[in-house]
Amino acid sequence: MEEKKFDLNSIIGFVLIFGILIWIMYQNQPSDKEIAAEKAKKELVARQEAQAKADKTKTAVLPVAATTPGDTVQLAQLQKTLGGFAYSATLPSAKEGFTTIENEKIKLKIANKGGYIVEATLKEFEKFKKGSGQLVELIKDNNSHLNIQLQTTDNRTLNSKDLFFEPTLTKNGADQILTMRLKAGANEFLEYKYVVKANDYLVGFDIRSQGLNKVLNSSKPLDLVWDLKTYRNEKSVSYENRYAQVEYEYGDEKYSSVSANGSGLKEEAPEKVSYIAFKQHFFTTILSTDKAFDKSKLESTNLVTDEAIDTVYTKQFKATVPLAFTNGEVDYKMSWYFGPSDYKILKSYDKNFEKIIPLGWGIFGWINKWIFIPLFGFLASFIPYGIAIIIFTIIIKLAMSPITYKSFLSQAKMKVLRPEITELGEKFKKDPMKKQQETMKLYNKAGVNPMAGCIPALIQLPFMYASFQFFPSAFELRQKSFLWADDLSSFDAVVKLPFHIPLYGDHISLFPILAAVAIFFYMKMTSGDQQMAAPQQEGMPDMAKMMKIMIYVSPLMMLIFFNSYGAGLSLYNFISNLITIGIMFVIKNYIVDTDKIHAQIQENKLKEPKKQSKFQQRLQEVMEQQEAAKKQDKKK
């Protein structure tokens, strides 16, 4: 290898280049005069910016009308646009100001302009996940407005949200009372009165007018318009949005809802409305009134069309109600509720607020109201929520075990009779009607009811459906952890996918997988007995093939549809199926003896046949009529 040597020419070249660069930098250095000029220019710009900022601040705090109440010249100018309410614009409060009232649970911020709540914060709850540090804010950044359209006697239409109210904050013991008055004179005004009590989510809210019978046109009601663009507060925007809707009470304690889960606007126009709830999944805002609104127009618009993009808001709600005049004045005693959609808390107000919780209709709601809610509430009061779900499931399944036993016993009896039923099928292969008649006679002689296996299963269905309503509505599960699930009210993702799968999502939840596995083994375990218990009937679908398909379809549906559901519901289904498998195993192997069943059936055959039930008699008559009609047709 050639030895490296210093190249003198290269060294000289580098030195020359370095020297040239130093010389260029020296020549381009600004002179003292240029430096002073640049410094003066920067100072001038800074002074101009500071002056502009000061002017802007000064302008922002100036009142709308820099005058004193009763200034006739200024009043005359303002009356051209504001009419009788020009007086309100001459007050010191006619500026962008706010008043804050709060207690241990809520914090409200009310604006001078419009006199309505512009911020409503719940102090005890965090959004998205526990420890996020972000409190739940139901109202903020102009997502909600309250406006009254004021029709004046001089044919003007004014909006209260654009006018300035005068605030007065007082206390009555622990209660904070804020009156906001839109004045037309010293003693003529439209008043909003807010009353915040200690440690309460309910806020008193009265609307009344005084001395405005000559200012407002009282020939028709005033329109009160309330709208709210609901912020997302939970981990899954699509799951939260599913339960966001307008709920209302109308008529004689009737309840209904307006929900826009697809695209477009949904509207309802109920009468005699006593409260309107803009309900999100776990939080709600309710406007209730002691004197029902004669009419209303309620609107709901879905704002989540693509959950990957639409992640800030869920729904747009709007309510329009009339405020009727009495003796020329308006006087309504109302209240606001800003708080959790918790069944127990809502019920404590004795205003039927708890009806906004979707517990299901008929027997499903009854099961949730009188069994699930009290039982789970009792368990969760002294043990962790995940363990409470497991114990709750065990109690429900054990209570249903006699029904499970009846169902399996019926299947066992039908399985014993299957050879004889098959024999009848072969014997009367060419006469389906005769086969049905002889089969019914066999059931009657053996003392077997073919419907006995279906009835217990039908009895269990309401409890299953009730669970689908109960767990998604259980506020107490929100942000409660168990094992790997950090929030039992939301999905328990163990893997985050880099892509989105339609109908499935962008994550993999573990509890739905466990529930699907349990369903698979349960159906695998029982499908054979069900097929043996129900031999194929003429003209009916092949149940054996259907059961084979369902063994795989049911777990797949569990995986797909429950992947984004709350982990609490998936945990319940997993434990429920595990317990059912255990109960069936014990019944099949240690309780039900097929030999004894067979002996009992043979003994029953020798006895006098039991009197047919009305259903069996009716079925027998129908078959005989069909047989007679068939013979008549052949003669023709």
Side-chain angles (χ1 to χ4, degrees), residues 4 78 86 90-91 172 175 228 237 318 346 359 377 400 458 507 525 538 553 561 578 635:
K4 291 185 179 181
L78 292 170
T90 68
L91 301 175
N172 182 12
D175 297 349
L228 177 67
V237 65
K318 185 177 181 181
L346 293 171
L359 298 178
M400 301 294 289
L458 291 175
H507 61 274
M525 176 181 178
E538 189 74 25
V553 171
F561 293 109
L578 276 184
K635 290 180 180 180

Side-chain angles (χ1 to χ4, degrees), residues 436-451:
Q436 291 286 353
Q437 292 174 344
E438 293 299 321
T439 301
M440 291 300 296
K441 288 180 181 178
L442 175 62
Y443 288 151
N444 192 37
K445 285 182 179 180
V448 174
N449 185 355
M451 300 297 295

Side-chain angles (χ1 to χ4, degrees), residues 459-475:
I459 293 174
Q460 295 184 70
L461 280 177
F463 286 84
M464 183 183 70
Y465 181 79
S467 70
F468 281 84
Q469 298 292 112
F470 170 72
F471 284 99
S473 302
F475 179 84

